[in-house]
Amino acid sequence: MKFNRRNLIKSFAALGSVGFSTRVLAQDKPNPNNLPPNLPEWTPDLGAGVDENPYGSPSQFEREVIRRNVPWLTASSQSSVNFTPLQDLEGIITPNGLCFERHHGGVAEINPTDYRLMINGLVDREMIFSLEDLKRFPQVNKFYFLECAANGGMEWKGAQLNGCQYTFGMVHNVQYTGVKLSDLLRETGLKPKAKWVLAEGSDTSGMTRSIPIEKILGDCLIAWAMNGEALRPEQGYPARLVVPGWEGNMWVKWIRRLEFGDKPYMTREETSKYTDLLTDGKARMFTWVMEAKSVITSPSPEKPIHHKGIQQLRGLAWSGNGKIKRVDVSLDGGKNWTTAQLHAPIMAKSLVRFTLPFEWRGEELLIQSRAMDETGYVQPYIQDLQKIRGKNSIYHNNSIATWLVSKSGKVDNVRLG
Amino acid sequence: MYVWVKIVSVLLLTSLMGTWSLQASDRAFNLGNIATSQQVKGWDIDVRPDGVGAPIGSGSVFDGEEVFAEQCASCHGDFGEGVDRWPELVGGEGTLNTHDPLKTTGSYWPYASTMFDYIYRAMPFGVSQSLSYDETYQIVAYLLYMNDIIDDDFVLSDQNIGLIKMPNQDGFLLPDPRPDASTIDGNPCMKNCDVPVKIIGKARDIDVTPED
């Protein structure tokens, strides 16, 4: 199969149209009739009226800015993942339609009138809440990143996927509106023996994860809105769990139930999946926190350099342990570093934008970014992680990536060693 | 076994003391409705490692073979060997510490309860929560048998599912020992750092990136 694929790609390559370069070339050819001193074609005619597109969509010229998947990764598109096009985004907010999706049984379509959240187990009162009930509680509005524990998982053994989107795109950052569980649980009360919560989704996979009660009462939310509008169906409409800073699998979508107990439930997702197999055959369990990480979104494999001279290197950094304190950038493979500019707002457990201008004279570069959070934790190299965790890990790869900028301006995902 | 739970609790609790004081009388908003036991029963389907939550029922290996062939084999194979990209469910013993680990219910899953819980709630893929409790016990019994965990005359039930000892039950480490591999003093090298800068691999050469 791989051989066929390779041959196919080679034959396309011979025609001179492969992958990312196609997209870039299409946008790079101006029509001289639209340039000064000519009258551009869009000027004389009336454009679309206000009723044409009651729910707006991006410009037709941005149609390449979409979520993408890697079809060979999974057996079915209903139990699969796609990736946020980080390389095409600015600032720190991920547009709702570009937030990566990870489903285990496809998207549940729930009429909000039929939505119920059940809270049972070691509580004083077992209760059921409608969506309208939830919205009558005091609300909070908070920005948080959500990163899949498997983001970068294909890169454990070496540089494998040639794109910022495919290697870092299982992360998104939105503003959530919801109710704090510490407020919601004042209605049910908690028994002193309650130590763990089972969060359960109402999709066909019945997604379940165990969460310690301290986290639930600390900063977890039941959210019904993202970036000012109702949650998208693929993000858990009408309500999802928000578990700030912790792996995305725990942010149960389409949440239908919270059960309180005195022990963890050891669900499929926290035993056979989302555990980290070490070289000795033992596996780490309950590795919840998404540690500090960063990525250079441009230049990147999808964003080659087209011109010599001034460049604006752009990137994103985040930490599940708090605020990002600093991001350093290297252009020579990690030998020398320069501290990048962080752009406000800098919020805990949220993406942070960094930029660094640099001059490119057409030389080869090995560009890297290195995040540091407020705890002093510094983003590691993959070799540091491999020393401890081996190469059979799938999850929690927060290592520094390297983009090779070649003399032509083309950019490649490479592994240094 | 749950000593680590206490460790985690103590660590986290210290920072949250102020916010955690939920008392029975403290129902501040008067929102929501009391759930009836019947409502809870319908949705409370989880099964814990100690067997708590296991619904009344039972299933034999013998009956499991037939149900598995009907309900599971089209994706997982007659003997749990997996079809196409669908998961293998059997085998993999002794592979976890190799370069090519095979994680199956037999080689990796720490609890039989998790098999029941997951199969009942999520399988068959796309027809979830359609199996009866007995059928679910039967399928789990057949899988345990194929993984050499129980004998062919074993009858699995709500009474004994919490007693099954899985081969990899002690294969998991707690609590989370990270961060484990990084400078945490906040002073990483800035100039003339001693790092390898030789390119040893390129994603382009692996050639598995999807093309538009």
Side-chain angles (χ1 to χ4, degrees):
Chain A
M1 191 170 168
K2 266 187 195 168
F3 280 111
N4 291 339
R5 184 183 164 68
R6 197 160 286 152
N7 292 339
L8 191 69
I9 292 167
K10 272 184 187 158
S11 61
F12 276 122
L15 295 170
S17 62
V18 156
F20 304 124
S21 56
T22 312
R23 304 214 297 262
V24 173
L25 286 175
Q27 291 166 357
D28 270 3
K29 273 190 190 162
N31 176 355
N33 297 331
N34 287 330
L35 302 181
N38 299 315
L39 189 66
E41 58 193 342
W42 56 85
T43 302
D45 300 334
L46 288 172
V50 293
D51 294 329
E52 200 129 328
N53 202 359
Y55 190 101
S57 51
S59 160
Q60 57 169 311
F61 303 106
E62 300 295 321
R63 60 178 167 246
E64 303 287 356
V65 182
I66 51 171
R67 298 179 287 217
R68 293 183 172 80
N69 81 343
V70 178
W72 54 261
L73 269 180
T74 52
S76 127
S77 69
Q78 288 87 16
S79 182
S80 192
V81 64
N82 61 23
F83 300 82
T84 301
L86 297 177
Q87 70 281 354
D88 292 306
L89 302 182
E90 304 283 2
I92 58 169
I93 297 169
T94 315
N96 286 341
L98 295 176
C99 290
F100 82 93
E101 301 166 75
R102 170 69 169 114
H103 314 309
H104 294 73
V107 177
E109 293 281 354
I110 301 171
N111 183 326
T113 311
D114 296 339
Y115 175 79
R116 293 294 182 275
L117 175 66
M118 177 183 285
I119 299 181
N120 72 306
L122 296 178
V123 290
D124 294 320
R125 291 170 293 277
E126 296 190 318
M127 295 189 72
I128 293 176
F129 298 92
S130 69
L131 192 64
E132 284 193 15
D133 292 334
L134 296 177
K135 291 182 178 178
R136 290 171 65 197
F137 280 89
Q139 65 165 240
V140 293
N141 291 280
K142 302 284 260 181
F143 287 90
Y144 291 121
F145 78 82
L146 184 165
E147 184 182 19
C148 177
N151 199 17
M154 282 82 74
E155 307 294 301
W156 266 100
K157 293 180 184 179
Q160 186 168 213
L161 289 166
N162 204 28
C164 173
Q165 184 165 6
Y166 296 119
T167 52
F168 284 87
M170 279 195 265
V171 65
H172 60 66
N173 199 65
V174 309
Q175 186 187 39
Y176 293 96
T177 304
V179 52
K180 288 175 72 174
L181 274 164
S182 55
D183 277 339
L184 182 58
L185 293 167
R186 291 175 67 185
E187 293 301 278
T188 62
L190 284 179
K191 303 256 195 229
K193 280 189 176 169
K195 300 284 183 231
W196 289 86
V197 180
L198 181 76
E200 179 179 77
S202 64
D203 60 318
T204 192
S205 78
M207 175 56 60
T208 38
R209 286 294 300 260
S210 305
I211 302 169
I213 200 164
E214 294 80 8
K215 178 66 176 176
I216 283 285
L217 294 175
D219 58 3
C220 289
L221 314 175
I222 299 288
W224 55 81
M226 57 195 291
N227 289 337
E229 63 177 359
L231 293 179
R232 291 289 169 93
E234 66 269 29
Q235 304 300 340
Y237 181 90
R240 82 173 311 164
L241 187 61
V242 170
V243 191
W246 288 16
E247 60 191 22
N249 181 249
M250 307 177 83
W251 298 48
V252 174
K253 298 188 282 192
W254 313 289
I255 188 159
R256 75 166 196 177
R257 197 167 66 93
L258 295 169
E259 178 177 341
F260 288 78
D262 60 348
K263 292 174 185 172
Y265 293 79
M266 300 296 183
T267 70
R268 181 251 198 183
E269 298 296 317
E270 60 207 18
T271 55
S272 77
K273 307 288 177 184
Y274 299 96
T275 47
D276 311 314
L277 187 59
L278 307 177
T279 48
D280 65 358
K282 299 280 185 189
R284 289 178 175 178
M285 185 179 244
F286 296 163
T287 51
W288 300 304
V289 176
M290 301 308 296
E291 289 175 325
K293 189 168 176 178
S294 65
V295 57
I296 295 170
T297 54
S298 175
S300 64
E302 298 96 325
K303 296 289 172 194
I305 303 182
H306 290 130
H307 308 283
K308 288 178 187 169
I310 184 77
Q311 314 294 327
Q312 298 293 337
L313 182 145
R314 297 171 172 82
L316 292 164
W318 60 98
S319 168
N321 279 319
K323 288 181 183 172
I324 288 293
K325 188 165 113 192
R326 198 174 97 194
V327 177
D328 301 322
V329 169
S330 174
L331 303 178
D332 60 4
K335 283 184 178 168
N336 296 287
W337 298 83
T338 305
T339 298
Q341 183 191 349
L342 298 185
H343 293 256
I346 300 166
M347 296 176 283
K349 303 173 188 178
S350 164
L351 295 192
V352 175
R353 174 63 64 178
F354 65 87
T355 59
L356 183 72
F358 73 97
E359 190 81 13
W360 187 57
R361 299 185 180 83
E363 76 275 31
E364 212 170 78
L365 303 173
L366 292 166
I367 59 177
Q368 299 178 341
S369 64
R370 181 179 67 189
M372 188 197 301
D373 69 22
E374 61 183 336
T375 71
Y377 176 90
V378 179
Q379 186 182 358
Y381 278 110
I382 187 78
Q383 288 84 357
D384 299 326
L385 295 181
Q386 286 172 341
K387 260 182 231 160
I388 310 282
R389 297 190 213 162
K391 295 185 179 181
N392 287 335
S393 270
I394 298 167
Y395 308 107
H396 296 288
N397 175 6
N398 65 324
S399 64
I400 293 168
T402 307
W403 303 146
L404 163 68
V405 179
S406 58
K407 288 175 181 165
S408 66
K410 185 181 76 175
V411 181
D412 272 297
N413 175 21
V414 298
R415 176 62 48 88
L416 304 183
Chain B
M1 181 174 169
Y2 288 106
V3 172
W4 56 271
V5 174
K6 287 181 189 162
I7 297 169
V8 172
S9 300
V10 169
L11 285 175
L12 290 168
L13 204 59
T14 47
S15 62
L16 296 163
M17 279 296 196
T19 59
W20 188 13
S21 58
L22 301 171
Q23 286 152 16
S25 58
D26 192 11
R27 196 179 154 185
F29 309 104
N30 281 312
L31 293 168
N33 292 301
I34 301 297
T36 66
S37 57
Q38 201 186 354
Q39 286 174 318
V40 172
K41 196 181 167 205
W43 279 17
D44 185 359
I45 59 170
D46 57 89
V47 183
R48 238 169 44 172
D50 53 11
V52 169
I56 295 170
S58 64
S60 68
V61 172
F62 183 79
D63 291 337
E65 182 173 7
E66 194 177 327
V67 181
F68 190 89
E70 283 170 14
Q71 302 280 3
C72 319
S74 62
C75 292
H76 295 293
D78 283 338
F79 305 101
E81 73 277 17
V83 175
D84 298 331
R85 302 289 318 281
W86 301 102
E88 291 156 275
L89 304 178
V90 171
E93 302 86 354
T95 66
L96 296 183
N97 60 354
T98 69
H99 291 301
D100 194 15
L102 176 58
K103 299 179 195 168
T104 72
T105 54
S107 68
Y108 197 63
W109 291 43
Y111 302 104
S113 63
T114 311
M115 297 165 67
F116 185 97
D117 178 283
Y118 181 68
I119 292 167
Y120 182 77
R121 75 169 56 249
M123 292 287 120
F125 188 64
V127 209
S128 63
Q129 297 187 41
S130 63
L131 297 167
S132 70
Y133 296 141
D134 284 348
E135 285 174 323
T136 311
Y137 282 112
Q138 288 160 2
I139 292 167
V140 176
Y142 182 59
L143 285 170
L144 292 172
Y145 166 71
M146 284 197 293
N147 279 299
D148 295 326
I149 296 163
I150 57 174
D151 293 328
D152 59 359
D153 58 353
F154 194 90
V155 178
L156 187 70
S157 73
D158 54 297
Q159 297 299 309
N160 59 23
I161 191 164
L163 304 172
I164 303 283
K165 170 84 177 172
M166 298 290 278
N168 196 43
Q169 189 166 320
D170 301 322
F172 293 87
L173 304 171
L174 294 161
D176 180 2
R178 295 174 305 147
D180 55 16
S182 173
T183 314
I184 54 168
D185 61 1
N187 284 305
C189 174
M190 294 297 286
K191 294 285 167 212
N192 303 313
C193 308
D194 180 21
V195 290
V197 292
K198 189 182 162 208
I199 295 169
I200 58 169
K202 278 189 183 183
R204 185 178 297 273
D205 297 336
I206 307 281
D207 197 12
V208 293
T209 308
E211 304 286 335
D212 286 336

